[in-house]
Amino acid sequence: MPVLPSWLTEPLREQFAALLPMRPEFHPGHPLGCHRRRIGDRVVFDKLLQLLRFGCSYEAIADATCSATTLRNRHDEWIRLDVFAQFKRIALESYDRIVGLVLDRIAVDGCITKAPGGGEVAGRSPVDRGKQGLKRSGMTDGYGIPLGRVLAGANRHDSPPLAATLDLLDDLRPLPDDITVHLDAGYDSDKTRALLAERGLDGRIAHKGEKAPVQASDRWHVERTHAWQNAFQRLARCHEHHATVINAFFDLADTVITVRSLIHRTWTTHRWDNRPNRHP
């Protein structure tokens, strides 16, 4: 069974390949011109999708077509070239152009996942007997399209990363005049309200001690997006040590989610080559 359906992987491959620089098949500096062939970018990209989806180790996913060392070296090269961030940015711009991002309503919330190997942004998890964990402060639009995230240790409270999370809105300008930020009771404080007021944002914050279903506001969209992201086992159980690599895998997952939502929402209104025969 494929990692993702072909109607989703093919546009992802084509756009990702368009962002990569041209590389010769053989290393030009070899005196005899007989250096080993460079592993194809498509092979590496497919392996990274498998890593993202299944969460296994590099060694477990490596085979005769691509070694674990090549996977690590290649994604490090692509991170230096800012390819993953560009990939996500193009997906967001395409979604905004065709469907439209709902930026007058955004939601922010934290999510704790496991980080067994520790790392730069790991910390003792208060919900997992003090084991190493990772917290992400995620932000979505009014439909649940992931707009960005800030990584922190699992022992951090939700509210401190809020300022850095809201700063990610600067990359999405122009913004609507009136923006409402939906937050849960963990953000119910005067400091949070002052932070929103400084940025000219309205806040709809759940009150501490008052039980209310998540459906009572638009906050449920970010909860659903966390579930979408945690379906990628590489994010739900993170073994990476470096924040740049973790963010790269998050950018790749967010791109998959955005493109999948784009295809899902335009299936009944648009026609294109390789359109799925059935509603995705």
Side-chain angles (χ1 to χ4, degrees), residues 101-127:
L101 291 169
V102 186
L103 295 178
D104 59 340
R105 302 191 311 274
I106 64 173
V108 179
D109 195 18
C111 179
I112 295 177
T113 54
K114 295 178 180 293
E120 295 176 349
V121 288
R124 290 173 58 85
S125 175
V127 296

Side-chain angles (χ1 to χ4, degrees), residues 19-272:
L19 296 173
L20 300 178
M22 296 296 296
R23 292 286 191 271
E25 186 178 5
F26 295 98
H27 195 286
H30 196 279
L32 301 178
C34 57
H35 191 269
R36 288 183 303 172
R37 285 183 172 87
R38 177 182 171 88
I39 302 299
D41 292 328
R42 175 168 177 158
V43 174
V44 178
F45 180 74
D46 288 347
K47 290 289 185 185
L48 290 180
L49 285 179
Q50 294 176 39
L51 279 172
L52 178 66
R53 179 64 181 87
F54 300 128
C56 52
S57 66
Y58 291 93
E59 287 72 18
I61 209 70
D63 54 22
T65 63
C66 184
S67 68
T69 301
T70 298
L71 285 172
R72 292 188 180 95
N73 292 341
R74 197 69 61 87
H75 75 46
D76 286 345
E77 174 188 338
W78 292 343
I79 289 171
R80 288 193 299 270
L81 294 173
D82 202 34
V83 174
F84 292 101
Q86 294 180 51
F87 195 37
K88 180 194 171 185
R89 194 177 307 118
I90 290 173
L92 278 178
E93 291 173 353
S94 300
Y95 184 95
D96 191 27
R97 184 173 63 254
I98 298 173
V99 177
L101 291 169
V102 186
L103 295 178
D104 59 340
R105 302 191 311 274
I106 64 173
V108 179
D109 195 18
C111 179
I112 295 177
T113 54
K114 295 178 180 293
E120 295 176 349
V121 288
R124 290 173 58 85
S125 175
V127 296
D128 194 18
R129 296 170 292 172
K131 296 180 181 179
Q132 292 293 296
L134 174 71
K135 172 172 282 189
R136 64 177 181 268
S137 174
M139 180 171 60
T140 69
D141 78 334
Y143 177 76
I145 300 300
L147 303 178
R149 96 295 310 171
V150 173
L151 302 178
N155 54 342
R156 294 287 302 279
H157 192 269
D158 284 351
S159 55
L162 178 61
T165 306
L166 293 176
D167 288 342
L168 299 175
L169 288 172
D170 293 337
D171 298 332
L172 302 171
R173 295 185 182 278
L175 297 170
D177 294 332
D178 297 320
I179 300 177
T180 302
V181 183
H182 294 264
L183 303 166
D184 65 15
Y187 299 89
D188 186 15
S189 68
D190 292 338
K191 183 177 180 180
T192 298
R193 293 182 177 85
L195 179 68
L196 296 175
E198 290 174 2
R199 289 166 166 75
L201 304 173
D202 298 323
R204 187 172 180 185
I205 308 173
H207 297 291
K208 294 179 180 178
E210 296 182 9
K211 293 185 178 181
V214 70
Q215 296 88 349
S217 70
D218 284 340
R219 182 167 48 85
W220 69 271
H221 292 102
V222 69
E223 303 285 357
R224 180 180 63 176
T225 302
H226 283 320
W228 286 343
Q229 292 170 330
N230 288 339
F232 298 98
Q233 295 301 310
R234 197 75 181 177
L235 308 182
R237 190 178 180 87
C238 181
H239 291 271
E240 300 291 347
H241 282 217
H242 300 293
T244 54
V245 180
I246 300 172
N247 275 312
F249 276 112
F250 266 106
D251 284 341
L252 184 56
D254 289 352
T255 303
V256 173
I257 292 170
T258 302
V259 174
R260 183 176 61 196
S261 299
L262 173 60
I263 295 174
H264 177 83
R265 301 193 69 185
T266 58
W267 189 84
T268 57
T269 59
H270 293 70
R271 295 292 183 271
W272 66 91

Side-chain angles (χ1 to χ4, degrees), residues 9-20:
T9 54
E10 286 303 324
L12 291 173
R13 285 194 195 107
E14 292 178 8
Q15 182 57 67
F16 196 85
L19 296 173
L20 300 178

